[in-house]
Amino acid sequence: KNKMMFKSTSRLASALPAAQRSFSTLVFAEHFEGAFNHSSFGSCLTAANQMNDPSVDVFVHGNEESVKSQVAEINKYPGINKIHVAQHANLHNPYTKALAFISSELIKKEGFSNVIAPATGFGKDLAPRIGGLLDLQAITDVVEIKEDGEKFVRPIYAGNALCTVSTIDKIKVLTVRATNFDKVLPSDNDHGYSTEAAADVDKYAESTKGKWLENIVEKSEMAELTTAKYVVSGGRALKSGENFSMLHDIAETLGTHQCAIGASRAAVDAGMVPNELQIGQTGKIVAPDIYFAVGISGAIQHVSGIKDSKVIVAINKDEDAPIFKIANYGLVGDLFTVLPELNDKLKAATA
Ligand SMILES: Cc1cc2nc3c(=O)[nH]c(=O)nc-3n(C[C@H](O)[C@H](O)[C@H](O)COP(=O)(O)OP(=O)(O)OC[C@H]3O[C@@H](n4cnc5c(N)ncnc54)[C@H](O)[C@@H]3O)c2cc1C
């Protein structure tokens, strides 16, 4: 493991409030079109509880309706001090340019010492902007927190090495990988936390310098790839998009509500499936209970997206394929004969 110290030149002194509040953490809640992301939030709360002081405030954004429903969801979680709200019709989508300004003002005003966002598209877009505005080095993709938040473990070289880093910044800005932190779970209790409107929301949300245009989302009945219990992935060997129907058959058998379809970059680049199915270094990171790699060679860029899966099952006709080095179960054979057989056996086992 490498050790590395991030340095930042400090315009920071001017960014800190006169009386820096000691050791408190601001956690960013995330939603998509109003649907609260419990998975990323529960993991961020766990990460926050591992920091030097578990005093946790939460930041939510959205329009009136979505803020209301998100606050109701957050009230089900234990151990929160206060909820800071950025409410505006223009913030229904995660327009991070405005959110970075609003939250940076809040961080300065309240004197938070730790800021935690999920390592999702939202958090990855937001945290570096906050870092830029406050002259801090965001520490991204944290997979482990050590020494009460003094040291952080994060992957480097496409996940082939882990690096332990610390920072001399007074405010620690992190993105954390949800799959590496057990989630704090919501309960049926309503904690009724106090809420407070963040300052200057209208000013930044109404700025004409940028605008969220639209969400383009592939609608699917299947489980969401990054949170699915099972993932069945296909590689170049599938040869065509039509042949992915064999993976869909397996997903049907396992239950589409808990199973998602993934793909290697080679399959995506060949146009077999849309690119939101891509798993790996430049795709999504998954950590299901069982990952099926079908006709995937096991290139490091793919493996970096699947290595936290609990069980990896590989089907490949080449017994020397690198995927077998990390697979818990390997089946050497032609996928076009193996998959239908596997599906029949799974059907029999789940009947
Ligand atoms: C900067 C960078 C980023 C990248 N990011 C990613 C990423 O995010 N995700 C990703 O996946 N890749 C990524 N790649 C690409 C990666 O290096 C590999 O090229 C890619 O993962 C290979 O995909 P594949 O395993 O489907 O294809 P191949 O490597 O061609 O493997 C196909 C496999 O199928 C097997 N096979 C063939 N026919 C059959 C059959 N009938 N039955 C069973 N098995 C069969 C073969 O033995 C082989 O092992 C990236 C590369 C770079 C340089």
Side-chain angles (χ1 to χ4, degrees):
K1 285 182 185 176
N2 271 338
K3 291 199 174 179
M4 193 184 282
M5 179 80 88
F6 284 127
K7 288 189 178 168
S8 110
T9 52
S10 220
R11 286 202 314 270
L12 188 64
S14 60
L16 290 175
Q20 165 99 31
R21 202 191 331 158
S22 61
F23 304 134
S24 56
T25 301
L26 181 66
V27 165
F28 281 91
E30 177 182 17
H31 71 96
F32 182 72
E33 296 184 343
F36 187 71
N37 188 331
H38 282 279
S39 171
S40 72
F41 187 68
S43 301
C44 284
L45 272 190
T46 300
N49 290 335
Q50 292 174 7
M51 300 300 284
N52 34 19
D53 185 296
S55 168
V56 179
D57 286 18
V58 175
F59 183 96
V60 294
H61 70 276
N63 61 16
E64 188 178 351
E65 192 188 347
S66 98
V67 161
K68 199 171 158 203
S69 72
Q70 289 180 79
V71 167
E73 294 303 324
I74 293 165
N75 276 331
K76 296 177 185 165
Y77 286 84
I80 290 164
N81 181 44
K82 190 192 282 180
I83 304 171
H84 301 271
V85 177
Q87 181 180 307
H88 195 285
N90 292 355
L91 296 180
H92 181 48
N93 290 301
Y95 180 42
T96 50
K97 194 167 178 179
L99 292 173
F101 277 104
I102 297 164
S103 57
S104 294
E105 295 292 338
L106 179 74
I107 292 161
K108 280 193 286 182
K109 181 174 141 255
E110 297 282 326
F112 290 106
S113 43
N114 311 305
V115 175
I116 297 183
T120 55
F122 166 64
K124 287 179 184 180
D125 193 14
L126 180 67
R129 290 176 188 273
I130 295 172
L133 288 169
L134 297 181
D135 201 9
L136 303 164
Q137 169 68 57
I139 301 176
T140 55
D141 281 309
V142 171
V143 296
E144 189 185 344
I145 293 173
K146 288 181 161 176
E147 297 177 24
D148 290 341
E150 288 306 317
K151 292 187 176 164
F152 307 95
V153 181
R154 61 186 300 275
I156 53 171
Y157 303 126
N160 285 287
L162 292 172
C163 178
T164 302
V165 301
S166 59
T167 177
I168 55 171
D169 283 341
K170 292 253 168 47
I171 305 172
K172 298 179 178 100
V173 179
L174 316 176
T175 64
V176 299
R177 280 200 183 170
T179 48
N180 292 86
F181 292 86
D182 289 338
K183 293 163 201 4
V184 174
L185 296 174
S187 68
D188 291 334
N189 296 343
D190 178 353
H191 290 92
Y193 298 121
S194 65
T195 58
E196 192 171 298
D200 290 332
V201 171
D202 292 354
K203 175 175 140 194
Y204 293 118
E206 288 166 15
S207 159
T208 51
K209 289 193 176 149
K211 196 172 164 196
W212 189 278
L213 292 180
E214 63 176 323
N215 292 322
I216 302 171
V217 184
E218 192 86 2
K219 292 275 181 248
S220 168
E221 298 300 310
M222 316 255 337
E224 205 274 313
L225 192 50
T226 56
T227 52
K229 189 168 183 201
Y230 308 115
V231 173
V232 188
S233 260
R236 195 196 307 270
L238 266 292
K239 291 188 182 154
S240 72
E242 290 75 55
N243 288 335
F244 268 74
S245 64
M246 292 193 299
L247 305 188
H248 280 271
D249 291 343
I250 304 267
E252 291 277 344
T253 305
L254 294 172
T256 48
H257 62 289
Q258 56 183 1
C259 186
I261 302 292
S264 72
R265 177 158 154 185
V268 169
D269 285 352
M272 296 180 209
V273 285
N275 83 2
E276 64 258 26
L277 296 201
Q278 184 177 318
I279 292 172
Q281 182 188 335
T282 43
K284 291 184 173 150
I285 310 287
V286 298
D289 286 0
I290 307 180
Y291 183 81
F292 295 85
V294 182
I296 291 177
S297 58
I300 52 167
Q301 295 91 352
H302 188 80
V303 168
S304 71
I306 65 167
K307 64 182 173 34
D308 291 323
S309 305
K310 291 202 177 81
V311 171
I312 295 176
V313 177
I315 299 171
N316 198 302
K317 70 176 184 187
D318 173 8
E319 64 179 49
D320 294 322
I323 191 76
F324 288 128
K325 291 203 180 98
I326 59 145
N328 303 84
Y329 298 93
L331 194 50
V332 179
D334 185 333
L335 70 92
F336 294 100
T337 50
V338 167
L339 275 183
E341 269 179 50
L342 176 68
N343 197 23
D344 288 344
K345 295 222 158 89
L346 283 172
K347 271 188 190 156
T350 52

